[in-house]
Amino acid sequence: MAESTELQARETIHAGGKWRAATSGATREILDPADALPFAVVSEGDEKDTDLAIAAARRAFDEGPWPHTPVTERAALLRRVADLLVRDREKLGRLEAQDAGKTVEEGRVDIDCVADAFRYFADLVAGEAPGRVVDAGSTDIHSVVVHEPIGVCGMITPWNYPLLQASWKIAPALAAGNTFVIKPSEITPMTTIAVIELLVEAGLPDGVANIVTGPGHSVGARLSEHPDVDLVSFTGGTVSGIKVAEAAAPTVKKVALELGGKNPNVVFADACATEEGFDTAVDQALNAAFIHSGQVCSAGARLIIEESVRDRFVTELARRAEKIRLGRGTEDGVECGPLVSEQQRAKVEMYVESALKEGAVLRSGGKRPEPSPQRPEDGYFYEPTVLDHCHREMRVVREEVFGPVVTVETFRTEDEAVALANDTEYGLAGGVWTSDAGRARRVAGRLRHGTIWINDFHPYLPQAEWGGFGKSGVGRELGPAGLAEYRETKHVYQNLAPKPVRWFAG
Ligand code: NAD
């Protein structure tokens, strides 16, 4: 802990255009998950700080210029932010890698995707018609449906893709003309703080973008329940999402939830009929399960494979999983970083232990790796783990592990594959591997998940909606629906030739 005393606490609460410390004076050390050492100290806000930030956002919405700023100017500001992100790509990519335990290359890709989100929403609003004229059946009536900003947006984000998840909220909210208060995960706030600085640099008026760094139970809960917040958009675990929805209910605010997943990756034998097909399907199953150590809401954590190819496939998957190079994400040659926290690793260990007790067969991993020069002893590392012979009654198959663990289940028929893939209370994403185009479309049509990949896994497009069925969430991010979340719809009916209606005789 000696290092922590040398770190200077930063003022990381931004409200009404000013950076400040927490009202209570509390601070939090931000740890590098690769060695568990603090690398920054931030303000630890609470309900009081949240109230101040909400008041600033409220004022900026009710009195400020931003909601009425011409859409072309709003779009131009978002594009400036994208340019600043490109300018700071290396710095931000490294910061994200250190904070969230990614490789630097993953961090850079995240920043590219963040810039893409800002550009996408800038283009979307700039190209829109200002309203939809409705035929009211009379030339005396002019009737138009318009979309207006919803107001003050509360945003709560997780630790796995800190800035990417934030950008999917900030960019559409600003494009639509809203003001906001964001609360990043208390353990990975660094790049969200940095993007608020970029928004200021880009010229956003005071009070439009506010941030309160601090915990979920105080800052997040206050944002959810506060009567002056018009919408709360949450990305995180399903348990926290339910609490957010409950806290938001009495004020009848709009709620958008992007929650957990337990995503099937369905592999038919025909996808593995050629050597090239087999290699591609294994390689992508590896990527689906283990990128960012499996701490991905859409991770392909359930491999559902046709029985006839299971042995060969799982043997190769486990062989390659063992070769993944674990280490500090800033070191050359490292392919996968640590888990984000001791708590997260303990959760993964608990799930693996329970799976083995329930009869799963360990094919790779299942333990902490030996320390090495690239892997400090105190880092939260865990080996990529393949669990064979799993079935739907196991906790590890039903619940989100959020770590480097893939379970293997088998099927014999297409119907069985679909039933297994849909046998989850979640419904975020899923993959289908087959060389039969008809089967691909049939199965994709029957899967109850928000995104389906056919012969691929993980890509998303800013112009296509992202979100979940079932307990994976409510609402959508990205795409036109991701902008609509941040708007109210208003019908303006204008009578050009008003006359008395004489409904009442007197
Ligand atoms: P989490 O639910 O623990 O925390 C998410 C955020 O909610 C954090 O900022 C936290 O401080 C806050 N929070 C916690 N309790 C709260 C409360 N009572 N009220 C308000 N806010 C509260 O999730 P996490 O561990 O940070 O992230 C991992 C989870 O996020 C996984 O379940 C993952 O699937 C999910 N996720 C989903 C998506 C998606 O697009 N659907 C994307 C990324 C992550």
Side-chain angles (χ1 to χ4, degrees):
M1 284 289 146
E3 287 81 351
S4 65
T5 52
E6 291 158 21
L7 291 168
Q8 216 186 340
R10 289 179 57 189
E11 296 185 339
T12 58
I13 295 172
H14 189 73
K18 291 194 177 61
W19 288 99
R20 20 186 311 274
T23 312
S24 69
T27 58
R28 173 188 288 263
E29 289 179 335
I30 303 303
L31 305 185
D32 182 335
D35 56 18
L37 291 173
F39 68 96
V41 180
V42 300
S43 314
E44 180 85 328
D46 61 15
E47 291 87 345
K48 271 192 189 157
D49 302 295
T50 313
D51 286 353
L52 287 173
I54 293 170
R58 186 80 260 164
R59 261 193 318 278
F61 186 79
D62 294 343
E63 300 163 21
W66 187 248
H68 311 290
T69 298
V71 83
T72 46
E73 283 179 36
R74 292 208 298 258
L77 187 134
L78 293 190
R79 292 194 189 104
R80 275 204 297 283
V81 175
D83 292 344
L84 294 173
L85 285 159
V86 171
R87 182 196 70 188
D88 292 352
R89 177 179 189 255
E90 190 59 26
K91 187 176 86 183
L92 291 173
R94 284 188 173 271
L95 189 59
E96 196 75 313
Q98 185 174 28
D99 205 3
K102 296 168 188 260
T103 63
V104 173
E105 190 47 31
E106 282 177 79
R108 291 186 191 114
V109 171
D110 280 10
I111 303 308
D112 293 342
C113 295
V114 171
D116 286 349
F118 276 88
R119 287 210 183 89
Y120 168 69
F121 284 108
D123 292 349
L124 185 62
V125 288
E128 271 182 332
R132 190 177 92 246
V133 176
V134 177
D135 181 359
S138 162
T139 51
D140 288 343
I141 305 297
H142 181 254
S143 192
V144 61
V145 175
V146 295
H147 300 287
E148 297 185 349
I150 195 164
V152 174
C153 303
M155 303 171 178
I156 303 170
T157 49
W159 48 256
N160 60 334
Y161 286 87
L163 193 51
L164 187 62
Q165 299 304 151
S167 72
W168 292 7
K169 302 182 192 304
I170 293 174
L174 291 180
N178 297 283
T179 63
F180 71 84
V181 179
I182 190 162
K183 188 210 94 62
S185 168
E186 54 273 40
I187 56 176
T188 58
M190 303 312 295
T191 51
T192 311
I193 297 165
V195 92
I196 300 292
E197 290 170 341
L198 294 188
L199 291 171
V200 172
E201 185 180 344
L204 198 66
D206 287 351
V208 177
N210 306 276
I211 179 171
V212 183
T213 45
H217 64 78
S218 55
V219 179
R222 189 73 182 133
L223 275 178
S224 310
E225 72 187 6
H226 202 291
D228 280 344
V229 172
D230 301 292
L231 162 144
V232 61
S233 176
F234 171 89
T235 302
T238 298
V239 171
S240 315
I242 291 169
K243 287 187 188 157
V244 166
E246 283 172 351
T251 49
V252 198
K253 58 171 63 74
K254 195 167 170 186
V255 177
L257 302 173
E258 292 293 332
L259 308 178
K262 190 73 197 178
N263 313 288
N265 186 17
V266 179
V267 181
F268 285 92
D270 59 26
C272 305
T274 63
E275 279 311 306
E276 198 188 347
F278 175 78
D279 176 52
T280 303
V282 171
D283 183 71
Q284 291 250 11
L286 194 75
N287 192 50
F290 298 127
I291 187 110
H292 194 18
S293 289
Q295 301 168 114
V296 183
C297 53
S298 53
R302 287 177 74 197
L303 174 64
I304 298 177
I305 186 155
E306 193 160 347
E307 206 171 84
S308 58
V309 286
R310 177 253 209 92
D311 283 343
R312 183 171 174 232
F313 197 100
V314 176
T315 301
E316 180 62 3
L317 184 70
R319 185 188 73 76
R320 290 198 51 192
E322 278 174 0
K323 292 177 81 171
I324 292 176
R325 294 194 293 266
L326 295 182
R328 187 195 290 278
T330 47
E331 299 264 347
D332 284 345
V334 162
E335 295 175 319
C336 221
L339 297 184
V340 78
S341 64
E342 183 60 61
Q343 189 192 12
Q344 194 59 26
R345 183 169 62 179
K347 187 176 154 204
V348 171
E349 288 176 329
M350 181 277 289
Y351 274 112
V352 172
E353 204 178 305
S354 96
L356 296 176
K357 275 195 195 131
E358 289 176 288
V361 175
L362 188 67
R363 298 289 295 267
S364 77
K367 59 180 173 33
R368 300 176 184 192
E370 290 298 320
S372 74
Q374 290 184 318
R375 265 193 319 263
E377 190 166 3
D378 290 338
Y380 310 126
F381 296 98
Y382 194 80
E383 289 183 359
T385 299
V386 178
L387 293 172
D388 202 356
H389 294 279
C390 292
H391 55 77
R392 54 178 90 183
E393 278 73 39
M394 292 175 172
R395 276 188 77 184
V396 74
V397 172
R398 290 196 313 272
E399 297 174 18
E400 187 184 43
V401 176
F402 222 57
V405 177
V406 62
T407 60
V408 182
E409 298 161 84
T410 54
F411 65 87
R412 288 191 183 153
T413 65
E414 191 176 305
D415 282 349
E416 227 183 306
V418 170
L420 276 174
N422 282 339
D423 187 19
T424 168
E425 57 182 14
Y426 293 107
L428 189 59
V432 187
W433 290 86
T434 175
S435 58
D436 176 338
R439 165 181 276 163
R441 296 297 286 273
R442 242 183 353 259
V443 172
R446 293 173 69 192
L447 291 182
R448 302 275 303 156
H449 301 270
T451 295
I452 304 297
W453 293 292
I454 298 172
N455 296 334
D456 214 324
F457 211 98
H458 275 323
Y460 76 91
L461 303 170
Q463 58 272 34
E465 277 74 1
W466 176 264
F469 288 29
K471 285 195 178 169
S472 286
V474 177
R476 289 293 180 270
E477 295 198 303
L478 302 178
L483 178 64
E485 294 284 357
Y486 293 91
R487 284 174 157 170
E488 286 284 14
T489 301
K490 184 184 276 179
H491 175 201
V492 181
Y493 177 105
Q494 184 179 12
N495 193 336
L496 302 168
K499 296 181 195 67
V501 285
R502 302 286 182 229
W503 181 266
F504 299 108

